[in-house]
Amino acid sequence: MDRTDSKSEKSGQDSDERMDLPTVMRQASQQLSGLLQREVGAVSAVKATDDGWIADVEVVEVEKVPDTMSVMASYRVELDKQGRLMAYERVRRYARGQIDRR
């Protein structure tokens, strides 16, 4: 087998490899921000699944002054193993300073 075949075989294997957690967090944040044209506040959760990743991303939906009056939203995003955004849904809206009572 020559070098070219070895490289193409290796890149085929890489396409099935799972991304690392920090990269997934960046991908989820950047892709959702670009899609919604909104500022991302944080990635609050990430979980590996059989098909890829699920992440909860906090987004500034309505910016207000003072910023504690801003309206935030939590989006659940699904990414494949390579970190490509496959689906998203808004699961919650809240005021920036609001604390969960769980």
Side-chain angles (χ1 to χ4, degrees), residues 58-96:
E58 309 306 313
V59 174
V60 180
E61 289 220 323
V62 180
E63 189 129 13
K64 301 256 183 162
V65 176
D67 68 353
T68 54
M69 299 300 294
S70 294
V71 177
M72 303 291 293
S74 184
Y75 284 84
R76 173 125 334 124
V77 299
E78 294 179 32
L79 300 105
D80 65 12
K81 289 180 182 177
Q82 290 76 40
R84 292 182 299 249
L85 185 65
M86 304 304 288
Y88 75 96
E89 68 176 314
R90 185 173 63 197
V91 293
R92 178 174 174 244
R93 287 183 89 187
Y94 58 97
R96 183 180 287 240

Side-chain angles (χ1 to χ4, degrees), residues 13-51:
Q13 292 172 347
D14 288 346
S15 67
D16 265 356
E17 288 184 19
R18 186 178 294 276
M19 299 178 77
D20 62 18
L21 190 59
T23 303
V24 169
M25 290 176 72
R26 277 192 305 278
Q27 290 286 355
S29 169
Q30 291 171 352
Q31 291 180 68
L32 188 62
S33 177
L35 187 64
L36 298 177
Q37 296 296 296
R38 300 272 188 257
E39 175 190 345
V40 169
V43 177
S44 58
V46 178
K47 178 182 173 183
T49 66
D50 291 340
D51 299 325

